Amino acid sequence: MTQENKQIPRILILGGGYGGLRVALTLQETLGENEAQITLINKHDYHYQTTLLHKVAIGTLSARKARIYYRKILNPRKITFIKEKVLEIHPTEKRVICSRSGYCYDYLVVALGFKPETFGVKGADKFTYKLSSLNAALKLTKNIENKFKDYTLTQDYNDLRVIVCGTGFTSIEFAAELATQLGDLCEICGINRDVAQVICIGRSERILPVFDDKLADIATQKLLKLGVKLITNAKVVECKENSVIVERDGIQEEIFGNTIVWGAGVRGSDVVQNSSLQNKRGRINVDPSLRSFEYPEIFVVGDCAEVKSKDVIHAPTAQLSAQMGDYVGVYLANLLRGKKNEKDFKFIHRGTVCSIGHTDGVGVVFGKNLQGELAAFMKNTIENRWLFSIGGFKMVFRKGQFRYRTSN
Ligand SMILES: Cc1cc2nc3c(=O)[nH]c(=O)nc-3n(C[C@H](O)[C@H](O)[C@H](O)COP(=O)(O)OP(=O)(O)OC[C@H]3O[C@@H](n4cnc5c(N)ncnc54)[C@H](O)[C@@H]3O)c2cc1C
């Protein structure tokens, strides 16, 4: 960060995902050019919608459409964007170390997002694909395509079997998206569709614990109709290169498949975990203003923060992260202008929709259960709303999701 003018408060934002980007854009909208020296650091020069990574992984959304370059949405006169990997946070020195240089701050916003949590399951780090970034999703697409092509030579059925560890949101969206595309993929490779299989393994009794029994049951029926095999009440105890070992009722079973995807959980960032900031698995417990209890000049938003309402920890979501980002943006602007911040952060849960392919889904919006095309429509509306919040109608028209109806 250029540090020519020491009087101007320096705000350093680490991570340009849902949380960090909303902080940056709120400050950009609110503050004048000389009110703060704002810097956003991210390891890529683009933002992507994590909530659409399952589509990138199956190839139903192109990487080009998924990338939103920061230069298109940030005003360089107000925000300096730096492409760097954050390595260390030194709160006592008010300094952050990145791959090329160090940066000092007066206020720090930590918004470094999540990392897949493998709960120490043997082989899960090494042998599974994760939906953790755009590049990781692209790696998975390539692998699935290659395995299906390989099958025509190897005739190894396991090349056509994709095992998904997890029956939560991420895993179900991915499994359903893949199942809806299997027909096309098999046709391209000249393979009988009935041979390919998607298997989802989950520890709980039912899938999608975020929803009630009724919605979870509807989702189960939809997945079964798509040919997804669901294995519930099963604990994954080991992942190998070509199989997964699960334990059910004390009995172990080996399930074979040459592509294994891990979607069974997330934790906070490694950078946070390795810092001297008090944290639990990379997540910092924050006060009602989303500040660190130890260092009030440090704000934490998104999946790196542990936020509670009435002692219940909120599940990390894009919706929560964006609302935290908005709150911190306003809070910082007020702070800089000497205005009092009177309100604590309050999460407004507007709804959650899980897509089941392009044209189907289940969800809850403003307390009402939805399913089918209406759910798919709402899912697209949520995605487009995010695009609108970062780039207005122009961004929605360029990058938006519009197809939600079946052609028949
Ligand atoms: C496949 C999938 C589907 C999901 N679907 C939904 C959904 O439908 N609805 C929903 O509400 N939530 C969903 N979530 C959860 C949601 O995506 C996260 O809660 C949200 O992305 C968290 O926002 P964030 O700002 O904390 O982190 P992120 O959006 O992950 O942003 C973190 C940013 O920090 C950058 N970064 C990380 N480490 C470094 C580093 N060391 N140096 C520099 N930059 C770094 C990253 O590149 C990224 O830009 C989904 C998650 C996944 C994985």
Side-chain angles (χ1 to χ4, degrees), residues 59-74:
T60 45
L61 179 74
S62 73
R64 190 182 53 81
K65 199 165 176 189
R67 280 191 196 102
I68 298 162
Y69 288 94
Y70 292 116
R71 64 172 185 270
K72 304 257 182 198
I73 43 183
L74 296 177

Side-chain angles (χ1 to χ4, degrees), residues 32-33 40 95 109 113 120 135 141 151 159 167 201 281 300 303 316 326 337 348 362 364 376 390 393:
E33 280 177 32
L40 171 67
R95 191 171 158 79
V109 180
N135 288 338
T141 326
Y151 172 77
D159 278 336
T167 47
I201 305 167
R281 303 178 97 78
V300 194
D303 287 4
D326 287 339
R337 288 175 169 174
I348 301 164
V362 292
V364 184
I390 62 171
F393 280 119

